[in-house]
Amino acid sequence: MPTQFLRRNYEYLHWLWLAIALPVTFSMTFLTPPFQVQDEPAHFLKAAQISAGNCFGVRDADHNVGAYTPQGALDLVQVKEFDLFRKHPEKKVDVLRATHRRLSALQWGGNHVFSATSAINYPPTGYVFHAIALRLSQVLHIDVLSSFFLARLFNALGCVALSCMAIALATRGKWYLFILLSLPMTLFQFGSLSQDGVLISSAALGSAMLSRYLDEEGSESRRLMLITGSIFLFLVATLGKPVYMPVLLAAHLVVWMKNRGYAAGMVISAFCSLMIVVGWTAMGYSSGYSSAGSEVSASGQLEYLYSEPVALITVVLQKTAINLTKEASGFIGIFGWRDTELPVYSYGAVKALLALVLLVNCHAYIRKRQSFSLIAAVALATVASMFLVSLALYLSWTPVGLQTVHGVQGRYMIPIACFASVAMVDGYRSGSKSEKILLFFSFLAVVVMLLVDVGAVFVLQERYYY
């Protein structure tokens, strides 16, 4: 009886996740006031630019970098009352009612204004759902504020759909993905105008398709479909954040480890993927746009690292390890402009749950003798990506020579963490002696994540409305 229940629970886990994630994500989508997700103003302008067909940054007559943005989007971003919430937990939504501007009266209009954002160099792939909603809003003459929430809703629906497919397709680390995709921070990003929701859900679905390729002995066409889909989704995540490149290359390596006959195809695919990411990154870098302060210089930081190569270890590598612990709360969930934390029990409960997943997998590794080469490839890619996150922020956001790294946030690690599921083992297959333990863990995972997510919704209500 426990085996049948556990197996049925495993097979329909994606529906269980959907029952939790959908109402929580929708609640976050509409409870959170506009621009109360970090960097959301820049992401909104980027999505609006894409909706108008301007996917790339250009230079105007004065050589300023930017893109043509619908006037209505700029009008909404320039409403100063939205800034009152930042770092001021005592401010509630009634400050918006006091404004003399009627937000609902803001219309898109027909004018396009040249403007720059910190997201100007980001690829359009992370804004597909937002741009569709904003374009539809412009065609139907929906006011800008309603369009903003419609764009959030479209992104929520798209990311939830991708994540649900990820849990359904995964043959490894299904419960682990269930936890990661139920994190309050994950659902908060799904219901926002940030590109991070698309990056997380793409990495999760890419990992799930890769795990199914490893375990499923289907037709050649089906296997190629899984490989192509997985690599494409990892490419989407890597275009959004090039520091995920080790994960993208590791996905090619994992495919080759399973079938050496794909060696030539994987080499060509890896080279093309590398060129796409490097080309886009170089194109964005050559534009010269930077939102960092004047004391920040990538070239100056590179010169410093060249003259002090030990700093690469003592600062960047050391801070990677320190930030991993420091940003654990940001990984699980810190809302707003990093000024709204969850209840303390939420962080402890999720950490304990993730620790249990690792213990269950350690037991499964011993019983099933999981491939060490696969574990090593996934572990190296994970560590390398986290190191590159710190290195990139050290170059682009940290003043030259400073003995720390600025700008590291826990949410950057969620797509990397999704890739770890490829090296995991399904718990219920580990033997009859552990069935009761696994049954208890399944119940615990659902209850804990449900309580944490519902608690996160109440935190948002209290932060902005009570």
Side-chain angles (χ1 to χ4, degrees):
M1 184 66 179
T3 302
Q4 293 178 353
F5 179 80
L6 194 62
R7 188 181 294 272
R8 189 179 300 110
N9 195 13
Y10 176 86
E11 291 174 351
Y12 294 101
L13 185 60
H14 54 292
W15 297 121
L16 191 58
W17 177 84
L18 190 65
I20 296 173
L22 202 57
V24 171
T25 304
F26 281 10
S27 298
M28 291 178 172
T29 297
F30 294 104
L31 280 175
T32 309
F35 309 129
Q36 302 314 305
V37 180
Q38 205 156 16
D39 301 324
E40 198 172 35
H43 291 300
F44 175 58
L45 290 178
K46 176 67 178 180
Q49 290 164 357
I50 296 171
S51 72
N54 304 314
C55 298
F56 310 97
V58 295
R59 291 182 182 274
D60 64 4
D62 297 324
H63 301 287
N64 297 314
V65 180
Y68 288 95
T69 311
Q71 179 67 55
L74 208 59
D75 290 340
L76 187 64
V77 170
Q78 291 175 345
V79 175
K80 299 301 181 183
E81 283 76 10
F82 293 131
D83 296 334
L84 298 175
F85 294 112
R86 298 186 191 180
K87 306 299 181 182
H88 290 284
E90 74 281 3
K91 299 291 186 183
K92 308 301 177 184
V93 294
D94 54 5
V95 300
L96 296 178
R97 300 190 186 102
T99 180
H100 295 295
R101 300 186 64 176
R102 292 186 59 222
L103 297 177
S104 60
L106 292 176
Q107 300 296 322
W108 286 102
N111 296 330
H112 288 69
V113 181
F114 190 85
S115 67
T117 75
S118 58
I120 193 65
N121 297 325
Y122 291 171
T125 47
Y127 301 92
V128 173
F129 302 125
H130 308 119
I132 292 174
L134 294 182
R135 186 58 191 161
L136 183 64
S137 297
Q138 294 167 45
V139 171
L140 297 178
H141 303 290
I142 300 174
D143 67 86
V144 182
L145 183 62
S146 299
S147 303
F148 177 91
F149 284 103
L150 185 64
R152 276 188 178 178
L153 179 60
F154 269 49
N155 192 61
L157 289 170
C159 292
V160 165
L162 292 176
S163 300
C164 188
M165 286 190 287
I167 297 175
L169 284 175
T171 58
R172 303 183 179 204
K174 191 184 282 277
W175 277 106
Y176 172 72
L177 285 177
F178 175 90
I179 297 170
L180 289 184
L181 295 173
S182 300
L183 291 174
M185 178 54 76
T186 299
L187 301 180
F188 188 63
Q189 294 300 320
F190 286 177
S192 74
L193 272 108
S194 170
Q195 68 164 348
D196 287 309
V198 173
L199 304 190
I200 293 169
S201 54
S202 295
L205 183 53
S207 301
M209 296 179 78
L210 188 58
S211 71
R212 183 161 288 269
Y213 158 76
L214 291 174
D215 293 328
E216 189 178 82
E217 298 298 334
S219 63
E220 186 69 13
S221 60
R222 180 173 172 80
R223 290 161 66 84
L224 288 174
M225 182 183 68
L226 290 171
I227 294 170
T228 304
S230 176
I231 290 175
F232 171 76
L233 289 164
F234 282 124
L235 180 60
V236 169
T238 307
L239 279 171
K241 285 187 169 55
V243 290
Y244 300 154
M245 177 58 75
V247 169
L248 175 60
L249 296 179
H252 288 83
L253 179 61
V254 169
V255 173
W256 173 79
M257 289 166 58
K258 172 68 175 180
N259 192 330
R260 304 297 173 90
Y262 292 154
M266 288 302 97
V267 169
I268 295 172
S269 176
F271 177 77
C272 292
S273 298
L274 184 63
M275 290 299 99
I276 291 171
V277 175
V278 170
W280 182 274
T281 304
M283 186 170 63
Y285 181 78
S286 64
S287 70
Y289 182 85
S290 175
S291 58
S294 57
E295 71 279 7
V296 175
S297 169
S299 59
Q301 199 74 285
L302 284 171
E303 290 179 7
Y304 169 73
L305 290 176
Y306 181 77
S307 62
E308 298 286 342
V310 179
L312 197 63
I313 297 175
T314 58
V315 178
V316 181
L317 189 58
Q318 181 185 20
K319 287 300 177 181
T320 300
I322 293 174
N323 285 328
L324 188 63
T325 303
K326 181 181 176 182
E327 287 298 327
S329 296
F331 180 89
I332 296 168
I334 298 180
F335 298 152
W337 288 77
R338 295 171 64 81
D339 57 8
T340 306
E341 296 187 354
L342 303 175
V344 175
Y345 72 83
S346 297
Y347 300 111
V350 174
K351 289 175 185 177
L353 205 56
L354 289 171
L356 278 174
V357 171
L358 295 178
L359 287 175
V360 169
N361 273 275
C362 286
H363 178 259
Y365 289 144
I366 296 171
R367 293 290 302 273
K368 296 194 70 171
R369 298 178 181 179
Q370 177 72 309
S371 168
F372 176 77
S373 58
L374 175 63
I375 297 173
V378 172
L380 285 174
T382 301
V383 172
S385 292
M386 289 191 295
F387 173 75
L388 287 180
V389 168
S390 293
L391 179 60
L393 292 170
Y394 190 65
L395 295 175
S396 60
W397 282 98
T398 307
V400 177
L402 201 65
Q403 299 298 298
T404 188
V405 181
H406 286 178
V408 178
Q409 297 180 32
R411 60 191 166 96
Y412 298 157
M413 308 300 178
I414 300 178
I416 302 172
C418 289
F419 182 63
S421 65
V422 176
M424 292 188 171
V425 179
D426 292 329
Y428 80 85
R429 297 178 181 174
S430 59
S432 58
K433 292 182 180 179
S434 60
E435 285 177 1
K436 292 182 180 179
I437 297 176
L438 293 171
L439 192 61
F440 171 74
F441 170 76
S442 303
F443 173 78
L444 188 66
V446 174
V447 171
V448 167
M449 295 316 300
L450 177 61
L451 291 176
V452 168
D453 287 336
V454 171
V457 172
F458 281 106
V459 164
L460 281 175
Q461 280 187 315
E462 183 180 0
R463 167 63 179 85
Y464 294 109
Y465 297 91
Y466 299 149

